[in-house]
Amino acid sequence: MSQGSQSASDAAGPVGPEAVAACALSALPGVGPSTLGRIAHVFASLRQALEEGPAEILRRADELALRTETREYLAESPNLPELGAWALGAARAAGARVLLPNDKGFPTRLRNLPNPPQLLYVRGTLAAEARRVAVVGARAADEVGLELARSFGDGFARSGVEVVSGGARGIDTAAHEGALWGEGRSIAVLGCGIDVTYPSENRELFQRLANGGGAVISEFPPGTQPAPGNFPRRNRTVACLCDAVVVVRAALRSGALITAAHAADRDIPLFAVPGDPGNRRAEGSNGLLRTGAAKVATGPADVLQALQWRVPEGLAPEDDAPHAGVWASNIATERTDEALDAAGVKLWRLLDERTPAHVDDLALRAQLPAREALGKLAELELKGMALQRPGKYFLRR
């Protein structure tokens, strides 16, 4: 064993030379998965590139299409084995391990990408195969959006589906929390190093994920701070880990739309939750629906049914159930002598007892014209089944 490999072994437990090489070369400035893939191809393996040394890698810089910052760093003749040992030691100190594409536990969906991540830093348990759905959206989400994200996370968890998101404030955090509430598993994909807690208030959430609730993973070297350029790469991993992607809330320039684009590129089923047309934080997700890029998802059942997965009792839309007509009649019998039609039942189901919803949001989610939805909601109000708040917001009674 070389001195560098011995150092790595001491720092992070027994590790192979390929792991040392992957950690070292991924820590070079300006090196991402595509560059690592080229290095592995040109040198036959990352291990071989490490053994050849920085001078030889630099000599082939044009062939490898290395960036300026990478060339400048290699020109300083860094000790690459020591760099790999440092990265492994920092990962271990954070409670993480390293997964390589050929490792048994490396996610199959990521391994099959044209330019897969050459390593993942992992805290917690990450299965190679699992049913997974990404639930993503805006950091600055409204309360309705946050509650929707929690309900999606909870519903998927109770269906045995892992919930994947980016660990960010807003929709991401709500989705992770919902999955834990549903006693399921969730995976947070970071846009920073595995040893960096971002946002800081999610420290306890990440601990819960790593300690039995799923996993926290990153492609980035330890110590990497969150930066705008990191998140498209993070979003790619979020999308490509999954069987489907659900966008809950997204503005026109939201990073969630990058996740959606990666899903579209890989033919991963894409869904969006309709939002109030007047809500700027829903313009991006509504746009996905308007252009036909995404299918409507008003709840987890829509996604589960589209993927032909089992929908647990309690999640299935009532108007799709065998006795939906009887159910609607029972509501009507309890509340009024007049029966509700299917549109009225659908709108009533969409109402919440605590959080008001705008008529335009409800109309989109029920797939009804706004004028018709307003009329049906007025009927529900007259029957004592709904309350109207100023600005055409409605609550269930």
Side-chain angles (χ1 to χ4, degrees):
M1 179 182 294
S2 70
Q3 183 177 354
S5 297
Q6 182 64 57
S7 300
S9 179
D10 293 342
V15 294
E18 281 293 340
V20 177
C23 289
L25 296 173
S26 69
L28 295 177
V31 170
S34 296
T35 304
L36 280 175
R38 289 194 295 271
I39 293 173
H41 175 73
V42 168
F43 286 92
S45 70
L46 296 179
R47 175 184 178 180
Q48 184 62 36
L50 190 76
E51 292 178 354
E52 294 281 351
E56 181 61 19
I57 298 173
L58 184 59
R59 189 182 71 81
R60 306 178 79 164
D62 289 343
E63 184 180 1
L64 296 169
L66 297 183
R67 296 182 178 181
T68 301
E69 60 263 42
T70 311
R71 300 179 191 223
E72 291 175 349
Y73 185 83
L74 291 171
E76 297 176 1
S77 300
N79 186 318
L80 296 181
E82 284 190 1
L83 180 61
W86 168 82
L88 284 162
R92 185 183 187 187
R97 68 188 188 281
V98 173
L99 274 181
L100 305 181
N102 290 330
D103 290 341
K104 184 177 180 181
F106 197 90
T108 304
R109 283 186 168 276
L110 295 183
R111 182 189 292 125
N112 291 338
L113 291 174
N115 56 330
Q118 293 297 309
L119 82 166
L120 293 174
Y121 293 95
V122 180
R123 293 174 57 200
T125 304
L126 182 67
E129 300 280 354
R131 288 182 171 182
R132 297 185 176 113
V133 173
V135 179
V136 298
R139 288 176 171 83
D142 57 320
E143 284 301 321
V144 174
L146 294 176
E147 187 58 36
L148 283 165
R150 291 188 192 99
S151 68
F152 271 92
D154 174 64
F156 286 135
R158 289 191 287 120
S159 306
V161 177
E162 294 187 355
V163 177
V164 181
S165 201
R169 295 183 180 96
I171 295 298
D172 290 13
T173 293
H176 293 306
E177 290 174 342
L180 292 174
W181 180 261
E183 299 183 347
R185 293 174 45 78
S186 188
I187 299 169
V189 185
L190 304 183
C192 55
I194 196 70
D195 57 342
V196 176
T197 302
Y198 178 79
S200 59
E201 63 266 27
N202 277 359
R203 182 177 302 276
E204 182 178 347
L205 171 64
F206 295 157
Q207 289 284 12
R208 291 178 66 192
L209 295 180
N211 294 335
V216 180
I217 70 175
S218 175
E219 289 184 55
F220 297 95
T224 302
Q225 297 300 307
N230 295 351
F231 293 105
R233 181 172 166 188
R234 183 276 307 267
N235 294 342
R236 169 183 181 260
T237 302
V238 168
C240 295
L241 266 174
C242 296
D243 297 277
V245 171
V246 179
V247 180
V248 176
R249 285 286 189 269
L252 288 176
R253 297 176 63 84
S254 172
L257 298 184
I258 298 176
T259 308
H262 283 301
D265 288 344
R266 298 293 300 169
D267 292 326
I268 297 168
L270 179 61
F271 299 83
V273 180
D276 180 351
N279 183 353
R280 296 184 64 182
R281 295 167 182 164
E283 288 178 344
S285 42
N286 285 343
L288 292 173
L289 295 171
R290 186 170 55 252
T291 61
K295 297 179 181 178
V296 172
T298 60
D302 293 334
V303 181
L304 296 170
Q305 288 173 341
L307 296 176
Q308 298 184 338
W309 293 348
R310 184 182 69 86
V311 180
E313 185 177 352
L315 282 185
E318 299 289 352
D319 52 358
D320 289 343
H323 303 295
V326 175
W327 178 85
S329 297
N330 288 341
I331 293 175
T333 301
E334 291 173 5
R335 297 291 186 89
T336 178
D337 292 334
E338 300 178 26
L340 292 174
D341 61 13
V345 171
K346 183 178 290 188
L347 285 165
W348 187 84
R349 287 186 54 249
L350 291 173
L351 293 176
D352 186 271
E353 294 178 351
R354 295 175 299 171
T355 306
H358 192 270
V359 60
D360 290 336
D361 189 12
L362 293 165
L364 272 172
R365 294 167 64 192
Q367 297 180 284
L368 295 170
R371 184 181 297 275
E372 180 182 349
L374 185 59
K376 297 296 180 184
L377 289 164
E379 289 179 18
L380 291 173
E381 189 178 12
L382 288 172
K383 296 174 189 291
M385 300 173 69
L387 286 172
Q388 183 172 179
R389 294 287 184 248
K392 296 183 181 178
Y393 283 84
F394 290 84
L395 286 163
R396 182 188 294 184
R397 287 190 69 174

